[in-house]
Amino acid sequence: KNQVEQSPQSLIILEGKNCTLQCNYTVSPFSNLRWYKQDTGRGPVSLTIMTFSENTKSNGRYTATLDADTKQSSLHITASQLSDSASYICVVSGYSRGNTGKLIFGQGTTLQVKP
Amino acid sequence: GAGVSQSPRYKVAKRGQDVALRCDPISGHVSLFWYQQALGQGPEFLTYFQNEAQLDKSGLPSDRFFAERPEGSVSTLKIQRTQQEDSAVYLCASSLGRGQYTYEQYFGPGTRLTVT
């Protein structure tokens, strides 16, 4: 079973609309949670990083929330633009002694913004 | 400065051939990571270097996979006797600090490997 699960798998919205992507994780112990944006044919680019003590973090039109108790996170995109069309990946960092905890990636949500 | 670069961007190999994928990290970055991303999936960890030391290679799928970073800068991921299941995008990332989970990782564009 995946330790990081995202929903929906894909999403189509109209330009200017808002949307929310979900991420559930089982990674424990937990260090931090990241959201990445990956354009087709490109490497992932970081949007937000949150530690377990942070509930929300914004980056422009992107706002991430984290509930470490329920092990859930969401990424809200406001006033979507055509350039938001991409895959959005939730990434959870586990913690281990020696600082060798791995990044565990979800499979991503593919967002398509239509004019 | 320049970001993480990878070469080649695309590689087609016949089954059984050896391939070498190169990663040039951001200058001064201590940590370097390799990931494998299958079509429609998120990246999966392969291996991690801190300077020239390979501290974690637990994600390498078989002994056909070998990575090195001899001078603590450029890294090469080598796959021997390629198989069709090796077809994927291979991503390299680097970060300024030590460790995998406490610092921002900057990704390269990836090398898309197709084994025919």
Side-chain angles (χ1 to χ4, degrees), chain B residues 4 14 23 32 49 54 62-64 67 69 94 97-98 101:
Chain B
V4 178
K14 289 194 171 142
C23 172
L32 185 145
F49 289 87
Q54 188 175 22
S62 77
D63 58 7
R64 296 185 296 103
R69 194 186 185 199
S94 70
R98 292 170 173 78
Y101 64 82

Side-chain angles (χ1 to χ4, degrees), chain A residues 2 9 31-32 34 36 38 41-49 89 93-108, chain B residues 9-10 33 35 37 40-45 48 50 55-56 58-59 89 91 98-110 112:
Chain A
N2 290 336
Q9 189 172 357
S31 174
N32 59 62
R34 315 170 185 210
Y36 282 87
Q38 186 173 24
R42 307 288 293 272
V45 174
S46 177
L47 296 175
T48 63
I49 301 177
I89 306 175
S93 299
Y95 172 84
S96 66
R97 198 191 321 182
N99 194 12
T100 58
K102 296 178 180 55
L103 296 188
I104 301 171
F105 292 72
Q107 68 181 51
Chain B
R9 290 294 315 277
Y10 303 91
F33 312 85
Y35 296 91
Q37 186 173 23
Q41 302 295 316
E44 291 194 2
F45 170 81
Y48 159 57
Q50 187 179 109
L55 297 189
D56 188 342
S58 61
V89 173
L91 293 166
R98 292 170 173 78
Q100 295 193 44
Y101 64 82
T102 54
Y103 294 93
E104 181 61 73
Q105 292 188 22
Y106 297 87
F107 284 81
R112 179 177 296 278

Side-chain angles (χ1 to χ4, degrees), chain A residues 3-82:
Chain A
Q3 292 183 280
V4 180
E5 297 208 346
Q6 294 185 241
S7 62
Q9 189 172 357
S10 61
L11 182 62
I12 301 174
I13 62 173
L14 292 176
E15 186 179 12
K17 298 296 186 183
N18 304 336
C19 67
T20 300
L21 315 180
Q22 302 290 343
C23 175
N24 295 337
Y25 64 93
T26 59
V27 177
S28 182
F30 163 82
S31 174
N32 59 62
L33 185 145
R34 315 170 185 210
W35 282 93
Y36 282 87
K37 177 186 179 188
Q38 186 173 24
D39 292 309
T40 301
R42 307 288 293 272
V45 174
S46 177
L47 296 175
T48 63
I49 301 177
M50 290 183 290
T51 65
F52 65 89
S53 62
E54 295 178 287
N55 300 120
T56 185
K57 184 162 280 190
S58 291
N59 177 1
R61 294 180 297 103
Y62 301 102
T63 299
T65 65
L66 173 64
D67 185 334
D69 291 331
T70 61
K71 294 185 167 58
Q72 295 180 326
S73 176
S74 66
L75 180 70
H76 186 73
I77 304 175
T78 305
S80 61
Q81 300 176 358
L82 297 179

Side-chain angles (χ1 to χ4, degrees), chain B residues 37-102:
Chain B
Q37 186 173 23
L39 188 64
Q41 302 295 316
E44 291 194 2
F45 170 81
L46 292 177
T47 187
Y48 159 57
F49 289 87
Q50 187 179 109
N51 296 309
E52 69 278 3
Q54 188 175 22
L55 297 189
D56 188 342
K57 54 182 181 179
S58 61
L60 296 176
S62 77
D63 58 7
R64 296 185 296 103
F65 286 71
F66 171 77
E68 60 182 4
R69 194 186 185 199
E71 297 178 357
S73 178
V74 172
S75 177
T76 303
L77 176 67
K78 297 179 179 177
I79 308 174
Q80 297 177 323
R81 304 180 304 280
T82 52
Q83 304 293 318
Q84 278 199 308
E85 61 263 28
D86 299 335
S87 295
V89 173
Y90 290 85
L91 293 166
C92 175
S94 70
S95 72
L96 185 60
R98 292 170 173 78
Q100 295 193 44
Y101 64 82
T102 54

